[in-house]
Amino acid sequence: MHSVDYALLNRQLEALLDTRDWLTNSAQTCAFIQHALYDINWVGFYLQRQLNQLCLGPFQGKPACHPIPFNKGVCGAAARQQATQRVDDVHTIADHIACDTDSRSELVAPIVIDGHLWGVLDLDSPQHARFSQEDQNGIETLVATFIRQTDLPHLIDQ
Ligand code: SME
């Protein structure tokens, strides 16, 4: 079993994010995670650019589903509840949106600014139960670093 030093990854991400630009930092963050973790087949951002809808943002992996309404899928649940979703087997989730049939487990962390859902970071794995509580804590720490070191503009079309 591989182990991941999330404290080290967090220091590396802090150094990598040397702009405050949201587009640059979100692209860098998902590329960094894709290369730092094992058994990940997709990692990327979905952004709330229209009310209650997630729009595909920077990602690593195969072309993905777009758009995702808040009332659908694991990403929608994370957006609606503003809470991390950790799913051991996506086949057990009735409204799971299968972008890639290889995906088996999933972790989705919300990005919340002043109570407002800015977007989510979604990670997929072909392995059953790839994400542990430790992975969840580690990814939430990386997301907190992304939020702290980035100017996140209001993206919703008026
Ligand atoms: N599986 C996700 C959709 C996004 S993709 O996995 C990239 C979901 O059910 O929300």
Side-chain angles (χ1 to χ4, degrees):
M1 190 66 194
H2 312 255
S3 77
V4 176
D5 184 345
Y6 279 103
L8 174 62
L9 292 188
N10 193 46
R11 289 195 298 278
Q12 292 173 333
L13 183 65
E14 283 174 343
L16 178 66
L17 302 183
D18 61 357
T19 80
R20 293 203 57 85
D21 182 82
W22 73 268
L23 183 56
T24 304
N25 283 359
S26 56
Q28 294 278 48
T29 298
C30 60
F32 175 74
I33 291 173
Q34 170 78 354
H35 287 277
L37 299 190
Y38 57 91
D39 287 340
I40 301 290
N41 62 331
W42 200 90
V43 52
F45 288 81
Y46 278 96
L47 315 171
Q48 186 178 199
R49 300 184 67 183
Q50 286 182 34
L51 198 60
N52 297 336
Q53 181 168 288
L54 293 167
C55 164
L56 183 61
F59 68 93
Q60 298 275 310
K62 289 185 183 171
C65 312
H66 165 87
I68 297 179
F70 271 32
N71 61 3
K72 280 203 75 181
V74 183
C75 289
R80 232 173 25 244
Q81 297 168 27
Q82 299 192 355
T84 299
Q85 309 292 306
R86 183 157 56 92
V87 178
D88 287 345
D89 185 350
V90 294
H91 298 146
T92 64
I93 306 290
D95 71 344
H96 169 252
I97 304 163
C99 300
D100 181 347
T101 50
D102 282 349
S103 296
R104 191 75 196 281
S105 55
E106 181 161 3
L107 181 76
V108 186
I111 299 166
V112 179
I113 312 297
D114 296 332
H116 160 83
L117 193 283
W118 187 82
V120 302
L121 180 69
D122 179 21
L123 284 81
D124 293 321
S125 170
Q127 215 181 72
H128 177 263
R130 160 66 184 80
F131 304 103
S132 63
Q133 181 64 54
E134 192 188 338
D135 290 301
Q136 178 174 338
N137 298 344
I139 294 297
E140 286 173 347
T141 302
L142 298 181
V143 167
T145 293
F146 167 77
I147 293 171
R148 194 174 61 252
Q149 296 195 196
T150 307
D151 294 329
L152 297 173
H154 197 68
L155 292 175
I156 297 184
D157 293 337
Q158 297 299 325

mmCIF file of all heavy atoms in Angstrom, residues 42 46 64 68 73-75 96-97 99 106 122 124, ligand 1:
data_model
loop_
_atom_site.group_PDB
_atom_site.id
_atom_site.type_symbol
_atom_site.label_atom_id
_atom_site.label_comp_id
_atom_site.label_asym_id
_atom_site.label_seq_id
_atom_site.Cartn_x
_atom_site.Cartn_y
_atom_site.Cartn_z
ATOM 1 N N TRP A 42 -8.896 10.810 -12.887
ATOM 2 C CA TRP A 42 -9.432 12.128 -13.252
ATOM 3 C C TRP A 42 -9.346 13.032 -12.028
ATOM 4 O O TRP A 42 -9.662 12.612 -10.916
ATOM 5 C CB TRP A 42 -10.903 12.008 -13.695
ATOM 6 C CG TRP A 42 -11.387 13.159 -14.520
ATOM 7 C CD1 TRP A 42 -11.335 13.272 -15.880
ATOM 8 C CD2 TRP A 42 -11.999 14.380 -14.047
ATOM 9 N NE1 TRP A 42 -11.859 14.471 -16.277
ATOM 10 C CE2 TRP A 42 -12.279 15.172 -15.189
ATOM 11 C CE3 TRP A 42 -12.334 14.878 -12.791
ATOM 12 C CZ2 TRP A 42 -12.870 16.432 -15.097
ATOM 13 C CZ3 TRP A 42 -12.920 16.134 -12.689
ATOM 14 C CH2 TRP A 42 -13.194 16.893 -13.837
ATOM 15 N N TYR A 46 -14.899 21.835 -11.023
ATOM 16 C CA TYR A 46 -16.171 22.288 -11.587
ATOM 17 C C TYR A 46 -16.510 23.609 -10.897
ATOM 18 O O TYR A 46 -16.359 23.736 -9.679
ATOM 19 C CB TYR A 46 -17.292 21.270 -11.330
ATOM 20 C CG TYR A 46 -17.302 20.120 -12.327
ATOM 21 C CD1 TYR A 46 -16.676 18.916 -12.032
ATOM 22 C CD2 TYR A 46 -17.938 20.258 -13.557
ATOM 23 C CE1 TYR A 46 -16.682 17.865 -12.942
ATOM 24 C CE2 TYR A 46 -17.951 19.217 -14.469
ATOM 25 C CZ TYR A 46 -17.329 18.019 -14.164
ATOM 26 O OH TYR A 46 -17.344 17.002 -15.072
ATOM 27 N N ALA A 64 -14.754 15.325 -19.960
ATOM 28 C CA ALA A 64 -15.706 15.002 -18.891
ATOM 29 C C ALA A 64 -17.081 15.610 -19.138
ATOM 30 O O ALA A 64 -17.285 16.364 -20.094
ATOM 31 C CB ALA A 64 -15.138 15.489 -17.567
ATOM 32 N N ILE A 68 -23.109 20.098 -14.959
ATOM 33 C CA ILE A 68 -23.702 19.223 -13.946
ATOM 34 C C ILE A 68 -24.610 20.080 -13.060
ATOM 35 O O ILE A 68 -24.123 20.997 -12.380
ATOM 36 C CB ILE A 68 -22.621 18.548 -13.082
ATOM 37 C CG1 ILE A 68 -21.737 17.635 -13.949
ATOM 38 C CG2 ILE A 68 -23.264 17.753 -11.942
ATOM 39 C CD1 ILE A 68 -20.622 16.935 -13.182
ATOM 40 N N GLY A 73 -25.766 13.760 -9.235
ATOM 41 C CA GLY A 73 -24.433 13.199 -9.087
ATOM 42 C C GLY A 73 -23.757 13.529 -7.767
ATOM 43 O O GLY A 73 -24.299 14.212 -6.903
ATOM 44 N N VAL A 74 -22.534 13.035 -7.672
ATOM 45 C CA VAL A 74 -21.744 13.217 -6.452
ATOM 46 C C VAL A 74 -21.265 14.669 -6.370
ATOM 47 O O VAL A 74 -21.271 15.273 -5.289
ATOM 48 C CB VAL A 74 -20.550 12.236 -6.457
ATOM 49 C CG1 VAL A 74 -19.758 12.347 -5.165
ATOM 50 C CG2 VAL A 74 -21.037 10.798 -6.661
ATOM 51 N N CYS A 75 -20.891 15.227 -7.512
ATOM 52 C CA CYS A 75 -20.465 16.639 -7.518
ATOM 53 C C CYS A 75 -21.629 17.540 -7.110
ATOM 54 O O CYS A 75 -21.448 18.490 -6.336
ATOM 55 C CB CYS A 75 -19.968 17.039 -8.897
ATOM 56 S SG CYS A 75 -18.388 16.289 -9.332
ATOM 57 N N HIS A 96 -25.289 8.819 -9.821
ATOM 58 C CA HIS A 96 -23.892 9.070 -10.191
ATOM 59 C C HIS A 96 -23.795 9.316 -11.700
ATOM 60 O O HIS A 96 -24.413 8.620 -12.504
ATOM 61 C CB HIS A 96 -23.020 7.863 -9.808
ATOM 62 C CG HIS A 96 -21.646 7.929 -10.376
ATOM 63 N ND1 HIS A 96 -21.219 7.119 -11.403
ATOM 64 C CD2 HIS A 96 -20.609 8.745 -10.072
ATOM 65 C CE1 HIS A 96 -19.975 7.425 -11.709
ATOM 66 N NE2 HIS A 96 -19.572 8.397 -10.904
ATOM 67 N N ILE A 97 -23.015 10.311 -12.063
ATOM 68 C CA ILE A 97 -22.833 10.634 -13.481
ATOM 69 C C ILE A 97 -21.537 9.966 -13.938
ATOM 70 O O ILE A 97 -20.447 10.336 -13.482
ATOM 71 C CB ILE A 97 -22.741 12.163 -13.683
ATOM 72 C CG1 ILE A 97 -23.977 12.849 -13.099
ATOM 73 C CG2 ILE A 97 -22.580 12.499 -15.147
ATOM 74 C CD1 ILE A 97 -23.793 14.344 -12.889
ATOM 75 N N CYS A 99 -18.806 9.676 -16.236
ATOM 76 C CA CYS A 99 -18.101 10.315 -17.353
ATOM 77 C C CYS A 99 -17.147 9.297 -17.958
ATOM 78 O O CYS A 99 -16.936 9.280 -19.157
ATOM 79 C CB CYS A 99 -17.282 11.498 -16.870
ATOM 80 S SG CYS A 99 -18.264 12.756 -16.079
ATOM 81 N N GLU A 106 -14.710 7.878 -5.659
ATOM 82 C CA GLU A 106 -14.710 9.320 -5.938
ATOM 83 C C GLU A 106 -14.623 10.121 -4.644
ATOM 84 O O GLU A 106 -15.176 9.728 -3.616
ATOM 85 C CB GLU A 106 -16.011 9.650 -6.686
ATOM 86 C CG GLU A 106 -16.164 11.101 -7.083
ATOM 87 C CD GLU A 106 -17.208 11.289 -8.212
ATOM 88 O OE1 GLU A 106 -17.829 10.294 -8.627
ATOM 89 O OE2 GLU A 106 -17.386 12.427 -8.636
ATOM 90 N N ASP A 122 -12.977 17.627 -7.845
ATOM 91 C CA ASP A 122 -13.440 16.242 -7.992
ATOM 92 C C ASP A 122 -12.249 15.333 -8.308
ATOM 93 O O ASP A 122 -11.465 15.636 -9.199
ATOM 94 C CB ASP A 122 -14.459 16.201 -9.143
ATOM 95 C CG ASP A 122 -15.006 14.807 -9.413
ATOM 96 O OD1 ASP A 122 -14.940 13.941 -8.521
ATOM 97 O OD2 ASP A 122 -15.517 14.591 -10.535
ATOM 98 N N ASP A 124 -11.359 11.184 -9.136
ATOM 99 C CA ASP A 124 -11.905 9.867 -9.456
ATOM 100 C C ASP A 124 -10.783 8.843 -9.498
ATOM 101 O O ASP A 124 -9.660 9.166 -9.911
ATOM 102 C CB ASP A 124 -12.579 9.877 -10.830
ATOM 103 C CG ASP A 124 -13.818 10.736 -10.862
ATOM 104 O OD1 ASP A 124 -14.565 10.731 -9.874
ATOM 105 O OD2 ASP A 124 -14.036 11.428 -11.869
HETATM 106 N N1 SME B 1 -18.887 11.406 -11.436
HETATM 107 C C1 SME B 1 -19.211 12.765 -11.164
HETATM 108 C C2 SME B 1 -19.259 13.578 -12.422
HETATM 109 C C3 SME B 1 -17.980 14.218 -12.768
HETATM 110 S S1 SME B 1 -16.881 13.197 -13.428
HETATM 111 O O1 SME B 1 -16.582 12.063 -12.628
HETATM 112 C C4 SME B 1 -15.513 13.926 -13.990
HETATM 113 C C5 SME B 1 -20.527 12.882 -10.426
HETATM 114 O O2 SME B 1 -21.298 11.938 -10.302
HETATM 115 O O3 SME B 1 -20.796 13.963 -9.951
#
